[in-house]
Amino acid sequence: MTATKRIVLSSDHAAIELRQAVANHIAAQGWDVVDIGPTTPESTHYPLHGKAAAQSVASGDCQLGIVLCGTGQGIMMAANKVPGIRCGVCSDAFSARMIRQHNDANMLSIGARVVGEGQALDIVDAFLTAEFEGGRHATRVDMIEA
Ligand code: RB5
């Protein structure tokens, strides 16, 4: 990984604390973290935040994105509506590694009401250190995009 890699983070109100823990964790690894909030705890709408993060990745401003909400499901669904985004919700490190290796996922979603902080950081590390394997998986990812 190079220090120039940029990653966008976003969440809804249900995941602000975990998002900030993730931000600190990956910033310490040298990532340029673009945390687009929200920063205040008022109830908000996860589709807005999923879309904003996904647009940052789809535009090329950030290489990867991590989104979080209560379950990780709603914000993942919103992110996947943006063309070019492949976002998977993960509650375990194996899945997080595999969505990079096989699915070339460019976004990860985590449920703050599903996993604790330690598990979430393991999931993030698995996602960020895995590489897309290409080959037969590229054929399948191309089929998703088509
Ligand atoms: C908010 O209460 C909750 O619905 C949201 O964080 C998320 O879990 C939706 O998928």
Side-chain angles (χ1 to χ4, degrees):
M1 193 203 82
T2 69
T4 57
K5 276 200 170 180
R6 279 161 68 84
I7 185 164
V8 62
L9 298 191
S10 190
S11 74
D12 73 357
H13 55 280
I16 288 176
E17 283 186 18
L18 183 56
R19 192 190 79 236
Q20 290 170 341
V22 169
N24 292 337
H25 182 71
I26 61 180
Q29 296 174 3
W31 285 83
D32 181 4
V33 178
V34 181
D35 188 341
I36 59 172
T39 56
T40 57
E42 294 83 30
S43 182
T44 182
H45 305 300
Y46 59 80
L48 299 174
H49 306 291
K51 179 181 180 182
Q55 287 176 328
S56 177
V57 175
S59 71
D61 183 49
C62 290
Q63 286 77 47
L64 295 173
I66 299 177
V67 288
L68 310 94
C69 66
T71 60
Q73 300 290 350
I75 202 162
M76 175 272 291
M77 293 177 195
N80 276 319
K81 289 289 185 182
V82 175
I85 295 303
R86 291 176 300 281
C87 181
V89 58
C90 294
S91 298
D92 63 275
F94 174 77
S95 298
R97 187 161 58 249
M98 294 306 288
I99 65 169
R100 288 287 300 130
Q101 290 180 348
H102 285 194
N103 312 117
D104 199 19
N106 47 17
M107 293 186 70
L108 167 69
S109 182
I110 299 174
R113 295 173 178 161
V114 181
V115 299
E117 182 178 315
Q119 178 78 345
L121 298 183
D122 280 350
I123 290 166
V124 167
D125 286 344
F127 180 74
L128 295 182
T129 56
E131 298 283 345
F132 182 48
E133 291 179 355
R136 69 185 188 281
H137 304 297
T139 303
R140 296 163 185 165
V141 170
D142 288 346
M143 292 171 73
I144 294 173
E145 294 306 305

